[in-house]
Amino acid sequence: MKTRRSIHAPFALTGLLALLFIAGFVAGCGISGTDIEKFAKGEVERLSGEKAVVEDESKEKTDDPKEIQVYYNKFNKSVSNRTRFQTGTKDIIALDVMPKDTTGEVNWTAAVILGVIDPAPSIDLNVEDEPPFDLNVFIEAKVALMANVLFPHSIHTYWLKCSNCHPGIFLPEAGANKISMNEIFEGKWCGRCHGKVAFTFWPRANCVRCHIIPKGESLSKENWQ
Ligand code: HEC
Ligand code: HEC
Ligand code: HEC
């Protein structure tokens, strides 16, 4: 039976995500999933000084799409919370106030979510802004322990039109596209933008921006397909 954990501390959640992600890289060292979870929980408590609250396994799993959405939005929020602010940008003074990611590049997602910028939809002042499309698509990373991917329509449609991706890059149907990480690295699928005009793959902290849901934290796949 699948379980759902909620850890009542934003840092704890971020820490757990990071740890489980790192755990993905040590797969194959003979450590079982349960050991990793126990270790991660201990680390979360140690680092945050708070007790990680793990929900009773026997508790009913939710099927309410709204509740699931809230759960995944929390992950998104934890990503933007992880961003750090720094001043003194290379050449472009206008970017000094912008939140930066671990490479020192602007984190445009955080810039929007934290309200640092609020771009107009067009230079034509008569064009009305369209609200972003709030739909998260769950994409399983098809290897053991590699954290799963969450594709958020919200931040993408904040910047882009549906026709930038559909149907040219992705058929608009969950699971219909045979995406692989190798092809992404080669510049296909997500790699049409990421690594070019949107945030890059490396360093490892950037992997987690897409691979945001540790295995075992996914609720159940059935909820998504
Ligand atoms: C940045 C690229 C991108 C943009 C822009 C985009 N989408 Fe998507 N969309 C995706 C991806 C990726 C998937 C998941 C495909 C998969 O799982 O194989 C998807 C899936 C979908 C699905 C299927 C959901 C499901 O559960 O089956 C619908 C419907 C959809 N998009 C509608 C839209 C609409 C409407 C817009 C504009 C408001 C839009 N998309 C903009 C990338 C995009
Ligand atoms: C058409 C261009 C385009 C495609 C294709 C695209 N993205 Fe993005 N993505 C963006 C832009 C632009 C942003 C916001 C700016 C930025 O963060 O660099 C963004 C932001 C994100 C974010 C926000 C989280 C964060 O920390 O900033 C995630 C997650 C993400 N993309 C995942 C994906 C995944 C997964 C795919 C493929 C299934 C994908 N994207 C395909 C353009 C694209
Ligand atoms: C822009 C979003 C994005 C980023 C950044 C990203 N990935 Fe992925 N990754 C995906 C998507 C989408 C899949 C789903 C493909 C599948 O397995 O069906 C995936 C799948 C994978 C898989 C599963 C096996 C495979 O080939 O499909 C591995 C392993 C992986 N990624 C490793 C990484 C590593 C390591 C990084 C950082 C260097 C990274 N990814 C960064 C989107 C991303």
Side-chain angles (χ1 to χ4, degrees):
M1 190 190 166
K2 303 254 179 179
T3 59
R4 184 166 63 104
R5 270 164 231 90
S6 73
I7 291 154
H8 300 292
F11 291 116
L13 184 57
T14 312
L16 183 64
L17 284 173
L19 279 162
L20 287 183
F21 182 75
I22 292 161
F25 281 87
V26 296
C29 305
I31 310 169
S32 80
T34 331
D35 286 344
I36 292 168
E37 278 172 24
K38 261 196 216 143
F39 171 75
K41 185 170 165 269
E43 281 300 284
V44 165
E45 291 179 1
R46 191 177 63 78
L47 295 169
S48 68
E50 279 184 53
K51 209 156 171 50
V53 181
V54 177
E55 273 180 20
D56 183 359
E57 298 204 356
S58 60
K59 207 175 162 185
E60 278 297 296
K61 184 185 69 199
T62 180
D63 279 329
D64 179 354
K66 273 213 193 97
E67 212 178 296
I68 292 166
Q69 193 69 29
V70 167
Y71 184 67
Y72 280 91
N73 283 342
K74 273 192 205 155
F75 279 104
N76 270 343
K77 211 164 162 208
S78 86
V79 169
S80 51
N81 285 347
R82 228 181 299 172
T83 187
R84 65 194 165 89
F85 286 90
Q86 53 184 34
T87 50
T89 325
K90 300 147 217 168
D91 326 312
I92 310 165
I93 295 163
L95 298 183
D96 278 2
V97 295
M98 301 291 264
K100 311 293 187 321
D101 64 21
T102 52
T103 63
E105 296 296 333
V106 172
N107 182 326
W108 294 98
T109 303
V112 168
I113 293 174
L114 301 175
V116 182
I117 51 168
D118 184 12
S122 165
I123 47 170
D124 178 352
L125 294 177
N126 296 319
V127 171
E128 265 195 39
D129 209 351
E130 286 168 37
F133 179 48
D134 193 16
L135 172 70
N136 290 328
V137 181
F138 173 79
I139 307 176
E140 189 185 10
K142 290 162 203 76
V143 289
L145 287 177
M146 185 72 207
N148 292 324
V149 174
L150 180 75
F151 174 82
H153 269 93
S154 53
I155 194 66
H156 288 96
T157 53
Y158 183 91
W159 294 107
L160 302 160
K161 283 191 186 332
C162 314
S163 59
N164 286 135
C165 289
H166 297 311
I169 307 178
F170 300 102
L171 299 172
E173 189 191 330
N177 305 276
K178 295 282 157 269
I179 308 168
S180 78
M181 197 64 221
N182 273 346
E183 290 188 345
I184 294 174
F185 281 134
E186 284 165 10
K188 290 181 199 146
W189 309 112
C190 320
R192 288 282 283 270
C193 303
H194 289 275
K196 300 189 183 104
V197 294
F199 69 83
T200 53
F201 308 113
W202 299 101
R204 193 177 288 183
N206 274 4
C207 312
V208 198
R209 291 168 77 170
C210 291
H211 291 273
I212 193 174
I213 310 167
K215 290 269 197 287
E217 283 281 326
S218 312
L219 296 175
S220 64
K221 212 179 143 204
E222 303 81 74
N223 282 331
W224 298 87
Q225 282 169 2

